[in-house]
Amino acid sequence: MLNAANMVTYCRVLLVPVIVLVYYSGIAHSQLIAAFLFTIASISDWLDGYLARRLNQTSPFGAFLDPVADKLLVVMALVLLTAIYPSPWFVVPTAIIIGREVFVSALREWMASNNQRDAVAVGYIGKVKTTVQMIAIIVLLAYTPAWPQFFLQTGYGLIYLAAALSLWSMAQYLIKAMPVLTAKQ
């Protein structure tokens, strides 16, 4: 389906490989440009939802594509950052975040197959987690060794906060889904 909201989502998906290519391009300020493009893609997540509601363009396809675009963007950026920061101190919280994304996506799919999609709708903590995660990724993509260590430490701190919020929100979704998960068929 082609509408304004879905076009924004398509653009977010198309930005995924562009961010990687720009980051590794070797052009001047490639990290800053990649971080800027990631920022645009992150903002587009809010924009497509706003447009869908404002222009009454919500659709089942848009509801499917939006979270897929979000996962592609975040997982790509975290994998890219894991290559840049291969320390266990970065890989562990990144693995927690990616693992949570896979788990919650599967949980939502399963709940939808049981006509319980609303039980695991995005909650407040999930939105806070996404915001913290996006800011962390932007900081870490933009960071260069010429900058003060404070920026790198801030990025790491935000990734750890995002990992903690990931676990918290996952637990909330699991608690909400538990009656359906434990119900006798």
Side-chain angles (χ1 to χ4, degrees):
M1 174 171 222
L2 205 55
N3 60 42
N6 287 348
M7 287 301 296
V8 172
T9 306
Y10 292 137
C11 289
R12 184 162 67 254
V13 171
L14 292 174
L15 276 174
V16 170
V18 172
I19 292 166
V20 174
L21 291 172
V22 166
Y23 192 90
Y24 283 117
S25 69
I27 62 174
H29 309 292
S30 61
Q31 294 102 323
L32 285 174
I33 297 167
F36 176 75
L37 292 172
F38 185 88
T39 302
I40 298 291
S42 297
I43 292 169
S44 78
D45 181 27
W46 169 82
L47 180 61
D48 63 12
Y50 173 79
L51 289 173
R53 289 184 298 278
R54 180 83 170 153
L55 302 175
N56 197 25
Q57 294 180 343
T58 59
S59 68
F61 181 71
F64 157 76
L65 186 61
D66 180 59
V68 170
D70 298 344
K71 304 304 181 251
L72 286 172
L73 180 66
V74 168
V75 170
M76 171 282 309
L78 290 173
V79 168
L80 172 65
L81 290 170
T82 300
I84 297 163
Y85 307 106
S87 159
W89 296 107
F90 185 77
V91 173
V92 169
T94 297
I96 289 169
I97 293 167
I98 292 172
R100 179 263 187 208
E101 295 298 334
V102 171
F103 179 84
V104 170
S105 293
L107 180 63
R108 285 193 176 125
E109 179 70 25
W110 191 81
M111 292 294 284
S113 72
N114 285 278
N115 296 319
Q116 299 289 324
R117 180 182 298 274
D118 291 343
V120 288
V122 177
Y124 177 74
I125 296 301
K127 290 180 181 187
V128 171
K129 182 263 320 169
T130 298
T131 302
V132 170
Q133 172 179 278
M134 296 304 195
I135 294 169
I137 291 169
I138 292 164
V139 169
L140 291 167
L141 281 173
Y143 178 76
T144 176
W147 290 9
Q149 277 292 107
F150 169 77
F151 289 100
L152 182 60
Q153 293 166 347
T154 299
Y156 267 67
L158 290 171
I159 279 294
Y160 272 88
L161 179 56
L165 291 169
S166 291
L167 291 173
W168 184 8
S169 67
M170 183 177 73
Q172 286 185 327
Y173 294 132
L174 195 53
I175 288 166
K176 289 178 185 174
M178 199 55 69
V180 178
L181 292 170
T182 59
K184 294 191 180 188
Q185 302 300 325

